[in-house]
Amino acid sequence: MIVSVKPGADPERVRQGLVARGLWVVRYQTHHGGVHFLARPYSGMVSRESLLSMEGVADIAEPPSPHPMVDAQPKAVEVSGVLIGEGVPPVFMAGPCSIESPEQIDHIAARLSRLGVRFLRGGAFKPRTSPYHFQGLGEQALGWIAAAAKHHNMVAVTEALSEEMVSPVAEHAGMIQIGSRNMQNFPLLHAVGRTGRPVLLKRGMAATIEEWLLAGEHCLFAGAAAVVFCERGIRGFDPGTRHLLDLGAVALMVHGHHQPVVVDPSHALGRKDLIGPLSRAALAAGASGLLLETHDDPAHALSDGPQALSPDEMAALVNDLGQPLPGEAVR
Ligand code: PEP
Ligand code: MN
C-alpha cells in the first residue's frame, strides 16, 4: 500500500503511527510530489480503513504493478477451447521429449487422447546442453505433431527455440512453448507474442518469480493470447534430485498471483520413479496441470528416456491422480 501524507501534516508522526501498527514502512517516491510511504502488505494485518482514519493520512493506494497484463489474466485462461487455471479440472500436457517419426507421435497421441490428455507436447527443436546430443528432427516434425494432434482432437504444444522458427511453429501449434533457457530471450518472447498464440512459459532455471512474471508480461505485451507458466525446477545444490522443483513458487504463483501454472516433474527430476509423488504434490500446491514426458518405448527414446513414462505408466498415474480415463481400461 502507498500511504500519502496530508499536505502540512508531520510525515514523521505518520511514519511512527504506521510502525506502531506493525507495518514495515519505507519512504516512497511518486511523480506527484508530497510525502508517501510504502507499507508492505505482508508486514501487518491492518485494514485500509483504519489507516485512512489516522491523523495526517490523506490517501491509501496500491503501487502500480510492474506486470499489469499478467495481473489482468483471468484465473483460468483458454487455450484452443480448453480452460487452464483455478476452478477447472487440471489439464495434462504429455508426449515424447522429441518427435521421432509421424507414426511415433500419432501412436502416442492415440493412447494419450484415450486417457483424457488434451495437450500433445513434443519437441521438434531440442535445446540440448551438449552439441553432441540429439537436437531434434527440426521443421519436418512440426507437420507430424500437428497432424497427430488433429487426428486425435488434441492441442499441439511445441517449443520455438529461435526467432526464425516462430512462424512455422505458430502455423502448426495451438500453443507455443518457451524453454527454460530462453525465458529471458526478449526478442524471442516478442516474436512469439506477436503470433497471438497462447504461450507455455517455462521458468528459467535461475529466474526469480518476479522475473518469470515479467517474462510473461513481455509475451502478453507483444500480443500473446495468454500465458501459462510452467515450473520445471530451479538450480539447487543437490544433483540427487537434479533440479529443485519449486512448489513454493507454484503456491505463490497460484494463490498469490492467481496465475495458471503447470508443473513439469519430468524435467525437474529427470527420473520417472519420483514423478507420481511430485505430481500429487504439485496438484496439492495448486497447479492447474502437469507436463509429463511419455514415450511408447522409453528405453530407445532419442532424448530424455530415463524420465519418460510408458503409456501404461501414464495411464496408471492419470488414474491414481483421480482424473477420468474416458474409454481407457483402468489398470
Ligand atoms: C523440454 O520441455 O523439452 C525442455 C527441454 O525443458 P526445459 O526447457 O524446462 O529444460
Ligand atoms: Mn525432454
Side-chain angles (χ1 to χ4, degrees):
M1 291 176 281
I2 300 172
V3 180
S4 304
V5 178
K6 275 185 184 150
D10 178 3
E12 182 51 22
R13 280 199 62 185
V14 173
R15 194 191 69 78
Q16 284 173 8
L18 294 170
V19 171
R21 282 167 170 76
L23 293 172
W24 182 86
V25 179
V26 287
R27 206 160 159 139
Y28 186 76
Q29 202 67 40
T30 75
H31 296 303
H32 313 299
V35 180
H36 311 271
F37 294 107
L38 179 67
R40 290 285 181 209
Y42 44 79
S43 57
M45 297 297 285
V46 182
S47 73
R48 190 173 181 275
E49 289 66 36
S50 75
L51 296 184
L52 266 176
S53 69
M54 276 174 63
E55 203 185 316
V57 169
D59 194 19
I60 307 287
E62 291 301 325
S65 167
H67 34 72
M69 298 184 80
V70 167
D71 297 347
Q73 287 212 103
K75 283 186 182 171
V77 300
E78 194 202 310
V79 179
S80 301
V82 184
L83 286 173
I84 306 177
E86 260 181 281
V88 290
V91 296
F92 287 97
M93 300 183 175
C97 181
S98 298
I99 305 159
E100 298 175 9
S101 71
E103 295 75 27
Q104 175 237 24
I105 190 75
D106 188 78
H107 184 240
I108 294 174
R111 281 301 302 272
L112 292 173
S113 68
R114 287 203 298 274
L115 297 175
V117 175
R118 302 299 308 276
F119 294 87
L120 180 62
R121 210 234 37 157
F125 308 98
K126 297 308 303 178
R128 305 309 298 281
T129 302
S130 165
Y132 304 111
H133 291 162
F134 182 64
Q135 306 289 310
L137 291 177
E139 215 171 327
Q140 58 182 336
L142 295 175
W144 304 342
I145 190 171
K150 190 167 174 213
H151 187 192
H152 300 286
N153 194 24
M154 299 172 84
V155 183
V157 185
T158 196
E159 176 166 353
L161 200 53
S162 62
E163 280 176 72
E164 312 88 78
M165 286 300 130
V166 167
S167 170
V169 166
E171 208 179 295
H172 292 97
M175 181 177 219
I176 304 179
Q177 176 178 322
I178 294 286
S180 183
R181 290 154 191 82
N182 269 323
M183 190 205 84
Q184 285 187 311
N185 181 341
F186 301 119
L188 179 63
L189 300 186
H190 288 181
V192 166
R194 281 195 298 273
T195 68
R197 285 265 185 269
V199 178
L200 179 67
L201 181 62
K202 295 193 112 183
R203 182 180 182 187
M205 61 186 85
T208 65
I209 293 170
E210 193 65 12
E211 287 165 343
W212 196 16
L213 289 163
L214 284 165
E217 189 76 11
H218 272 279
C219 298
L220 294 171
F221 172 82
V227 172
V228 173
F229 294 87
C230 178
E231 165 61 37
R232 45 78 72 206
I234 53 173
R235 275 271 187 252
F237 56 83
D238 189 344
T241 48
R242 197 192 207 183
H243 298 294
L244 189 61
L245 188 64
D246 188 358
L247 294 181
V250 174
L252 181 58
M253 287 288 279
V254 173
H255 303 292
H257 294 284
H258 303 288
Q259 295 302 315
V261 179
V262 162
V263 169
D264 171 1
S266 302
H267 289 94
L269 275 302
R271 47 192 277 179
K272 64 173 153 184
D273 55 335
L274 300 178
I275 285 176
L278 267 295
S279 295
R280 284 190 288 278
L283 295 179
S288 302
L290 295 167
L291 192 163
L292 299 161
E293 285 196 339
T294 317
H295 196 284
D296 49 353
D297 184 8
H300 295 101
L302 295 180
S303 57
D304 283 349
Q307 71 201 33
L309 300 172
S310 69
D312 286 350
E313 288 164 339
M314 179 71 189
L317 177 62
V318 172
N319 183 40
D320 184 46
L321 294 173
Q323 303 305 313
L325 296 171
E328 178 87 358
V330 176
R331 285 162 199 283

